[in-house]
């Protein structure tokens, strides 16, 4: 197959032991000690820990009591989300000074598109400069991956942690991927792994040369894309936040939800909140996205794009619910999110008046006026006829 038209260079940066590193930054006496950050919520799990603590087997999402058993001499600290967000802002500012195309993935990681920066020294030099600036200006350690696309760049940043710098060239990508387990491909979770195993596919190399008809049985319409990833090919662009603008709401639960009904109730409530925000800003969108974070932090998103503009609670909910129905929530859901993207600002009311159901419009308007008078929490939408 032909090589993609032009050579891109994508950088992925991921901070090392982020929360723990910030705690050590603010209290240098902790340097070199096993520092475990977590707690403060009802769940009592480890958020993250320093690399010294990882030697004892402590890791993210582990119950704190287990961490204390493995590492009784560790320094246990509560999370300070505002402080981490503040530092995260400074890191992202360095990225934005470096490239006009920055896509933040989470509090401590982002993609930067460094394509076409030869005049500024080339992608590799710039990537080193970013890593050095984080170290010198913020006194924090980051790991860097530099590669022709997002998939490889993210893989690379994780290959030599902490303070790694791994570059993958287009030529070496396929050979390097071949012996890796299929789960290294983002989106291949345990269930896909099990199904692939039934076809004798365990390594990325086998995936790359597998028959597409077999892959369709596991990945459906995404089969071709998975096969391309397995060959180290990925065309997804780095997307700036403004372009990715969406209106959404998520909710993290104190206890994992394990049944469809509870999840549906939450999705209904979230849909109402998102709908209200959309209408308040006089926006409507084409795409509804459902985000599900499971108890083990594995996160999936499902999107559904309609051909007409969506702004009413019921329409958002109906699409979100359809997507939820296809997801197995039994392993435990810790977070649900609903968002609407592909936003447009209808010029005037009639454009929004596409909904056939007059009653639905009246109901939404009535709720909106209550919410704007008394605040967002005055009404929580629920399934009619369900006993709580
Ligand atoms: P990660 O980048 O996954 O982890 P890390 O930065 O602590 O360590 P690494 O060097 O392996 O990248 O997550 C970033 C932060 O997100 C982490 O510092 C704390 C938070 N987090 C949680 O609160 N719970 C979790 O289960 C995970 C994985 C992360
Ligand atoms: Mg990190």
């Amino acid at each position: 197959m032909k090589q993609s038209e032009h050579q891109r260079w994508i950088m992925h940066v991921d901070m090392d032991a982020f929360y723990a590193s910030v705690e050590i930054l603010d209290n240098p006496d902790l340097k070199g000690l096993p520092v475990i950050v977590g707690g403060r919520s009802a769940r009592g799990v480890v958020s993250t820990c320093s690399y010294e603590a990882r030697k004892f087997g402590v890791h993210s999402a582990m119950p704190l009591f287990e961490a204390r058993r493995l590492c009784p001499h560790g320094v246990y600290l509560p999370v300070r989300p505002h402080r981490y967000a503040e530092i995260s802002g400074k890191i992202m500012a360095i990225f934005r000074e470096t490239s006009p195309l920055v896509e933040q993935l989470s509090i401590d990681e982002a993609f930067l598109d460094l394509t076409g920066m030869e005049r500024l020294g080339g992608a590799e030099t710039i990537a080193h400069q970013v890593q050095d600036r984080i170290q010198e200006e913020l006194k924090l350690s980051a790991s860097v991956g530099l590669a022709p696309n997002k998939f490889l760049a993210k893989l690379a940043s994780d290959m030599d942690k902490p303070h790694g710098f791994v570059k993958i060239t287009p030529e070496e990508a396929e050979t390097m991927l071949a012996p890796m387990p299929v789960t290294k491909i983002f989106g291949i979770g345990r269930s896909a792994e099990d199904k692939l195993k039934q076809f004798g596919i365990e390594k990325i190399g086998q995936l790359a040369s597998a028959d597409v008809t077999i892959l369709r049985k596991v990945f459906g319409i995404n089969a071709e894309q998975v096969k391309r990833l397995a060959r180290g090919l990925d065309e997804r662009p780095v997307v700036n936040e403004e372009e990715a603008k969406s209106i959404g709401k998520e909710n993290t639960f104190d206890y994992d939800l394990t049944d469809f009904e509870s999840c549906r109730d939450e999705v209904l409530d979230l849909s109402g909140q998102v709908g209200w925000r959309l209408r308040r800003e006089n926006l409507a969108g084409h795409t509804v996205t459902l985000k599900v974070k499971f108890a083990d932090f594995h996160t999936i998103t499902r999107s559904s794009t309609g051909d007409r503009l969506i702004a009413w609670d019921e329409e958002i909910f109906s699409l979100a619910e359809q997507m939820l129905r296809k997801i197995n929530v039994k392993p435990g859901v810790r977070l649900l999110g609903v968002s609407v993207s592909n936003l447009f600002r209808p010029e005037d009311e009639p454009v929004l008046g596409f909904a056939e159901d007059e009653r639905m419009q009246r109901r939404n308007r009535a709720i909106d006026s209550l919410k704007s008078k008394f605040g967002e929490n005055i009404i929580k939408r629920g399934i009619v006829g369900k006993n709580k």
Side-chain angles (χ1 to χ4, degrees):
M1 209 174 277
K2 78 173 163 56
Q3 190 71 34
S4 59
E5 330 73 65
H6 70 288
Q7 168 72 56
R8 294 190 299 155
W9 281 112
I10 312 296
M11 174 187 193
H12 180 256
V13 190
D14 187 298
M15 301 302 294
D16 300 320
F18 186 51
Y19 292 5
S21 302
V22 173
E23 293 302 336
I24 295 164
L25 176 75
D26 289 348
N27 183 359
D29 291 346
L30 300 176
K31 212 174 166 161
L33 300 178
V35 173
I36 295 112
V37 182
R40 220 187 71 160
S41 78
R43 342 193 98 250
V45 295
V46 174
S47 294
T48 192
C49 59
S50 65
Y51 278 77
E52 286 80 2
R54 295 184 195 195
K55 289 181 200 148
F56 296 90
V58 180
H59 59 76
S60 293
M62 169 183 276
L64 275 167
F65 71 83
E66 199 178 333
R68 283 189 191 274
R69 188 174 56 76
L70 291 170
C71 187
H73 310 297
V75 180
Y76 289 82
L77 300 171
V79 288
R80 293 187 301 149
H82 294 294
R83 180 67 176 141
Y84 313 138
E86 183 186 355
I87 302 275
S88 175
K90 292 184 183 175
I91 298 164
M92 299 302 153
I94 292 180
F95 296 163
R96 294 210 172 83
E97 284 169 29
T98 306
S99 166
L101 263 183
V102 176
E103 182 175 341
Q104 182 172 354
L105 289 183
S106 74
I107 192 159
D108 85 326
E109 59 179 318
F111 287 115
L112 285 75
D113 193 329
L114 303 184
T115 307
M117 296 202 175
E118 283 70 29
R119 286 228 314 262
L120 298 166
E124 188 163 352
T125 306
I126 295 168
H128 274 294
Q129 281 166 357
V130 170
Q131 191 180 35
D132 293 346
R133 278 190 69 183
I134 294 173
Q135 190 66 57
E136 280 152 28
E137 295 173 24
L138 305 176
K139 311 283 177 238
L140 287 169
S141 173
S143 290
V144 168
L146 184 63
N149 59 51
K150 282 181 161 182
F151 165 53
L152 293 172
K154 191 162 161 66
L155 206 63
S157 72
D158 200 42
M159 281 169 70
D160 195 25
K161 263 185 169 287
H163 211 70
F165 189 105
V166 175
K167 180 184 174 183
I168 300 175
T169 63
E171 296 74 33
E172 66 200 12
E174 201 164 351
T175 324
M176 192 204 72
L177 288 171
M180 293 186 179
V182 290
T183 45
K184 283 275 177 192
I185 293 182
F186 182 76
I188 300 195
R190 235 172 284 147
S191 81
E193 183 190 16
D194 287 346
K195 283 188 211 153
L196 287 171
K197 216 174 256 173
Q198 290 168 14
F199 295 106
I201 299 171
E202 293 184 18
K203 299 279 187 289
I204 295 184
Q206 293 171 292
L207 204 51
S209 58
D211 190 342
V212 176
T213 52
I214 289 179
L215 298 186
R216 282 218 185 90
K217 292 184 184 141
V218 183
F219 301 108
I221 54 164
N222 298 319
E224 305 275 357
Q225 206 208 335
V226 171
K227 200 170 150 90
R228 288 181 65 71
L229 288 176
R231 299 178 49 216
L233 301 172
D234 174 18
E235 279 79 36
R236 287 171 302 169
V238 175
V239 187
N240 268 328
E241 273 88 288
E242 303 86 82
E243 292 162 21
K245 191 169 160 37
S246 66
I247 288 202
K249 192 88 179 68
E250 2 182 275
N251 202 359
T252 305
F253 316 113
D254 284 338
Y255 299 96
D256 298 329
L257 306 181
T258 51
D259 64 298
F260 171 74
E261 281 72 21
S262 315
C263 290
R264 187 184 55 185
D265 282 359
E266 286 297 335
V267 166
L268 181 66
D269 184 43
L270 289 166
S271 300
Q273 296 186 50
V274 172
W276 182 63
R277 271 158 207 234
L278 273 176
R279 296 188 296 273
R280 194 179 51 182
E281 305 218 31
N282 194 26
L283 288 167
H286 273 301
T287 305
V288 176
T289 299
L290 176 71
K291 174 174 168 184
V292 182
K293 186 187 269 189
F294 293 98
D296 64 1
F297 273 80
H298 173 61
T299 304
I300 59 171
T301 57
R302 297 283 180 269
S303 292
S304 175
T305 299
D307 48 10
R308 50 181 221 174
L309 287 169
I310 297 160
W312 305 114
D313 300 355
E314 286 82 353
E315 297 176 300
I316 300 168
F317 173 62
S318 143
L319 287 175
E321 190 201 23
Q322 282 170 30
M323 295 185 271
L324 180 68
R325 278 189 191 282
K326 296 189 186 130
I327 295 168
N328 177 18
V329 300
K330 292 249 161 56
V333 170
R334 88 174 248 131
L335 172 149
L336 282 167
V338 171
S339 61
V340 174
S341 57
N342 264 326
L343 299 180
F344 293 88
R345 199 177 295 280
E347 290 308 312
D348 46 18
E349 270 297 278
V351 183
L352 261 180
F354 50 75
E356 307 85 5
D357 188 348
E358 270 287 347
R359 276 180 315 173
M360 181 166 86
Q361 292 190 32
R362 278 206 299 274
R363 200 159 56 226
N364 277 271
R365 294 228 175 79
I367 291 168
D368 288 356
S369 85
L370 277 174
K371 280 181 173 172
S372 45
K373 269 192 209 125
F374 301 111
E376 205 175 336
N377 294 326
I378 183 78
I379 288 182
K380 198 173 153 83
R381 302 204 72 157
I383 302 275
V384 180
K386 183 174 175 290
N387 301 317
K388 281 235 166 179

